[in-house]
Amino acid sequence: MMTHCPSNPYCRECRLGKGLRYPHRKGGMQNSTRDAPKAFGDLMTMDYMIIQSKASKNVTDEKVMLVILDAWSKWLTVFPAAKRTSPYTILGINQHAGHKKIKYCYTDDAKELVKACKSKGIPHETSAPYEHKANGFIETWNRIEIFGCRTSLE
């Protein structure tokens, strides 16, 4: 119960930290023409989360988090950064993948993500820019990350 996953309807922390206002649509990335990933690095998806409240910011004034997910292993990396720039994105990719080669990446059409993929030589596919429903796979993992933080702090 330390991770509160799966959610327990009788757990106070789960009810407070994982409450939703609307149902989430299932099936992100299922209509893709790509083959299913078979190893680490076959498909990576990433997105930035912007920290809104002052209480949530880090002592070194990090205002955004880069969330990177390997679709095969479900390995999730959250990289805090001061700004949404391609150098911070490259650092996050290096932290996530280490010495492994990333074969393909799926992102929204954010300029810093596209620029970082190009500079690392990672082929990428983009969804509609800043359209959360079009990149539902990583948005689901963003929600899981937020819920984990909320329940840990309750």
Side-chain angles (χ1 to χ4, degrees), residues 44 46 48 66 68 77 79 86-98:
M44 175 181 75
M46 58 184 167
Y48 269 104
L66 175 63
I68 305 173
T77 302
F79 184 76
S86 59
Y88 282 119
T89 306
I90 292 169
L91 287 173
I93 293 170
N94 290 339
Q95 180 180 347
H96 175 77

Side-chain angles (χ1 to χ4, degrees), residues 52-114:
Q52 300 285 343
S53 75
K54 289 185 178 183
S56 298
K57 292 180 185 168
N58 197 335
V59 292
T60 56
D61 203 32
E62 285 142 346
K63 299 177 180 129
V64 296
M65 293 185 297
L66 175 63
V67 180
I68 305 173
L69 176 73
D70 178 69
W72 175 77
S73 66
K74 307 294 188 267
W75 181 262
L76 182 72
T77 302
V78 179
F79 184 76
K83 298 183 260 186
R84 289 178 57 164
T85 61
S86 59
Y88 282 119
T89 306
I90 292 169
L91 287 173
I93 293 170
N94 290 339
Q95 180 180 347
H96 175 77
H99 66 280
K100 300 271 185 183
K101 172 104 173 101
I102 302 297
K103 296 178 186 166
Y104 200 79
C105 184
Y106 185 82
T107 66
D108 59 6
D109 200 21
K111 294 175 187 168
E112 62 276 358
L113 300 176
V114 172

Side-chain angles (χ1 to χ4, degrees), residues 27-37 41-47 69 71 93 102-118 121-131 133-138:
M29 295 177 64
Q30 287 182 350
N31 295 329
S32 177
T33 58
R34 291 181 309 282
D35 293 333
D42 283 355
L43 176 61
M44 175 181 75
T45 181
M46 58 184 167
D47 192 20
L69 176 73
I93 293 170
I102 302 297
K103 296 178 186 166
Y104 200 79
C105 184
Y106 185 82
T107 66
D108 59 6
D109 200 21
K111 294 175 187 168
E112 62 276 358
L113 300 176
V114 172
K115 188 175 178 182
C117 286
K118 283 184 181 178
I122 302 170
H124 65 280
E125 179 181 344
T126 59
S127 64
Y130 308 105
E131 185 67 36
K133 292 176 185 171
N135 198 5
F137 189 65
I138 192 66

